[in-house]
């Protein structure tokens, strides 16, 4: 049964509140009268969006309300929503005047972006799915970002706001997925290694040459996808049959040559002269475009830094292996020989690292660097494999650390070198894109007696924890119904004897076997460093981290520790205490001792960044533990109250969707008001006494990782 229409008076009452008409003097009576002619469903749609946009700016909400009734009859609702969200995004980036121009130019927004508009695949809808898809492909990790067209610079894949070439929504999504696969293939199979601009300028018409080289590469990469992703290739063929003319007959010889298993960029270059002379040049709706300048700029910025990073990482790896030798002094006098062998088999790229012919497992960070270098050169140049000497590079420059993160407040730093993260606006019911400006900083080490004092203060607890964690490390798992084993499986034996008595064949799976449990866990600890942790709480946090590290070193789980704090969205800071690749050494112990209260508890950006870091670690189980003393909050900011809680909840849902298990340990006695909503009933614990923290945190860890 259809709901009854809202009356003019009912709508006026709501509009007066949302548009704050006591101070703005908007003529809501006229708008309410116009809305009164619509159906209840149409009224609810427009009023809902007026309310949501008003949480961003009431003038934008008023302008939307004035235009929306006339647009409903000719513009599909999901595109009206896209227009509204796009306007709010523009307001976030450039302010009210630009956003009002977007409101006024709704007709051009409709015409330029939305052919087949009802079935178009919106970037915001497909980007998370395609991001996971490209993460599962071999090669360099690529980000999915929104832009004016589909292209890649080798580090990002850019897609337009909407893909609407086909009348079916699923087909448009498949078209976007195929486009992403082709752009990924450019990075994976060598297209971007070429000096594209240099090649094109050798011809009288560089644009013609570039277009034909891109067509040749699209043929080669399509054949690669046919071998590596046959299901997707079938979709590619189906959609190309609908959207594109067939391959010109004169290009069929090129297709045959480039379909060979071993075809490379060199084969495309060898065919370029003939293709350049050909009158025809095929184009496909899924190929995107080529941006040589952007590709060259990204590669130039990447090469020197990645060379330095790799050499530093190899030096650290060599140092670790040397220290593990039975006679480190002799090993240091005769440094072992380090070799890296790439393996590119069946589309999977991997590396074997040997030290004096003995294989070693490279850390994830080294693997990613080797992958990126290999994609740039098609090999690992020998000079990249020379471990860096002491003081050869400045780590702050090599690893993108800003010279002075605090200079943002003096107007000299702004967003340079920062990472930008979205934030969930529950009023708008949408993300504020690139909203939080986040920088990583390293905690200043405090070389004092805190570590020794903590171990002395909790000596009995330390012994108890070590016993418990040693038992956990050595824990065995019983596997029943085995062909061979250590003991008889009585249940299986009874069933087998019963089967034999009935004339059935007797099973030979009559044993139990003790199998050592293999732990493959990565845990990130996110520590609240807001100003409210000053005093006892800060000391208890640091003691808890010391005890936890002592236990984790016995267990062998990979773990990282970061702190977080923020003052407005422009100063979101994450403090490195221990990364996954770092050893628990005197430097890390001094950083734990150096943890000091900072500013406010803006939490969403920190959870999103830790989710990103955790997903870069290869582990079967990933856990994100937050240690906090209160609810999300910030300084004179909308982040206080429900906004901050909802953003934090959304960041936790994002983490959970990637397979991460979030958990919260809080010292806030009022946390029952909001933690069940943020974390879920079973994913948090409240400690009423801060002095329980050092003792309890290791028990909690054992519970959530077993």
């Amino acid at each position: 049964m259809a709901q009854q229409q809202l009356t003019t008076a009912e709508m006026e009452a709501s509009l007066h509140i949302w548009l704050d008409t006591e101070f703005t003097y908007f003529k809501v009576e006229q708008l309410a009268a116009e809305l009164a002619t619509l159906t209840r469903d149409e009224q609810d749609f427009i009023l809902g969006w007026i309310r949501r946009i008003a949480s961003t700016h009431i003038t934008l909400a008023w302008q939307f309300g004035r235009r929306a009734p006339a647009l409903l009859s000719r513009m599909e609702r999901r595109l009206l929503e896209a227009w509204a969200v796009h306007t709010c995004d523009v307001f976030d980036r450039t302010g009210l005047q630009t956003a009002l121009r977007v409101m006024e130019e709704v007709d051009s927004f409709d015409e330029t972006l939305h052919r087949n508009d009802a079935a178009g695949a919106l970037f915001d809808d497909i980007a998370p799915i395609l991001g996971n898809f490209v993460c599962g492909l071999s090669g360099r990790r690529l980000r999915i970002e929104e832009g004016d067209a589909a292209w890649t610079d080798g580090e990002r894949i850019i897609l337009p706001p909407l893909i609407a070439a086909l009348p079916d929504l699923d087909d448009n999504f498949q078209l976007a997925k195929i486009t992403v696969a082709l752009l990924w293939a450019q990075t994976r199979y060598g297209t971007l290694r070429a000096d594209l601009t240099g090649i094109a300028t050798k011809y009288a018409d560089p644009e013609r040459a570039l277009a034909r080289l891109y067509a040749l590469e699209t043929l080669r990469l399509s054949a690669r996808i046919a071998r590596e992703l046959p299901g997707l290739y079938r979709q590619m063929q189906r959609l190309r049959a609908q959207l594109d003319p067939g391959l010109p007959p004169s290009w069929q010889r090129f297709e045959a040559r480039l379909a060979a298993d071993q075809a490379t960029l060199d084969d495309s270059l060898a065919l370029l002269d003939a293709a350049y002379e050909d009158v025809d040049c095929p184009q496909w709706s899924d190929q995107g475009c080529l941006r040589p300048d952007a590709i060259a700029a990204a590669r130039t910025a990447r090469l020197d830094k990645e060379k330095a990073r790799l050499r530093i990482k190899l030096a650290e790896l060599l140092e670790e292996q040397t220290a593990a030798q039975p006679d480190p002094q002799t090993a240091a006098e005769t440094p072992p020989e380090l070799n890296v062998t790439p393996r590119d088999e069946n589309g999977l790229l991997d590396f074997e690292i040997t030290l004096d012919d003995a294989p070693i497992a490279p850390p994830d960070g080294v693997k990613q660097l080797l992958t990126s270098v290999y994609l740039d050169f098609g090999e690992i140049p020998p000079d990249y494999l020379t471990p860096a000497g002491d003081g050869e590079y400045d780590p702050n420059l090599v690893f993108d650390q800003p010279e002075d993160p605090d200079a943002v407040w003096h107007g000299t730093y702004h967003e340079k070198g920062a990472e930008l993260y979205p934030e969930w606006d529950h009023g708008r019911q949408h993300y504020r894109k690139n909203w939080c400006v986040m920088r990583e900083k390293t905690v200043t080490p405090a070389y004092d007696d805190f570590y020794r004092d903590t171990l002395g203060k909790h000596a009995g607890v330390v012994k108890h924890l070590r016993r418990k964690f040693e038992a956990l490390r050595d824990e065995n798992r019983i596997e029943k119904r085995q062909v061979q084993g250590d003991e008889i499986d009585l249940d299986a034996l009874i069933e087998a004897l019963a089967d034999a008595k009935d004339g059935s064949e007797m099973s030979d799976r009559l044993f139990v076997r003790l199998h050592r449990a293999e732990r493959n866990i990565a845990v990130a600890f996110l520590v609240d460093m807001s100003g409210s942790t000053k005093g006892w709480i800060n000391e208890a946090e640091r003691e808890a981290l010391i005890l936890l590290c002592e236990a984790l070193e016995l267990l062998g789980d990979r773990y990282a520790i970061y702190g977080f704090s923020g003052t407005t969205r422009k100063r979101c800071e994450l403090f490195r205490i221990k990364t996954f690749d770092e050893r628990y050494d005197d430097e890390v112990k001094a950083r734990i001792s150096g943890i000091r209260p900072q500013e406010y508890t803006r939490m969403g950006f920190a959870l999103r960044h830790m989710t990103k870091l955790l997903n870069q670690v290869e582990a079967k189980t990933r856990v994100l533990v937050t240690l906090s003393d209160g609810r999300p909050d910030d300084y004179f900011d909308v982040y206080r109250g429900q906004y901050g809680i909802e953003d934090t909840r959304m960041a936790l849902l994002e983490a959970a969707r990637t397979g991460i298990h979030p958990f919260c340990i809080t010292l806030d006695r009022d946390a029952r008001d909001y933690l069940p909503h943020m974390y879920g009933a079973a994913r948090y614990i409240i400690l009423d006494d801060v002095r329980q923290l050092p003792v309890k945190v290791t028990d909690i860890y054992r519970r959530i990782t077993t």
Side-chain angles (χ1 to χ4, degrees), residues 2-16:
Q3 284 186 295
Q4 189 174 358
Q5 287 175 291
L6 294 169
T7 66
T8 303
E10 288 172 327
M11 289 186 286
E12 283 181 17
S14 296
L15 291 169
H16 278 301

Side-chain angles (χ1 to χ4, degrees), residues 393-415:
Y393 294 108
D394 180 353
N396 287 330
L397 298 176
V398 171
F399 292 96
D400 291 330
Q401 297 309 312
E403 294 180 7
D404 181 10
D406 297 320
V408 63
W409 297 112
H410 307 300
T412 60
Y413 185 58
H414 303 294
E415 297 180 6

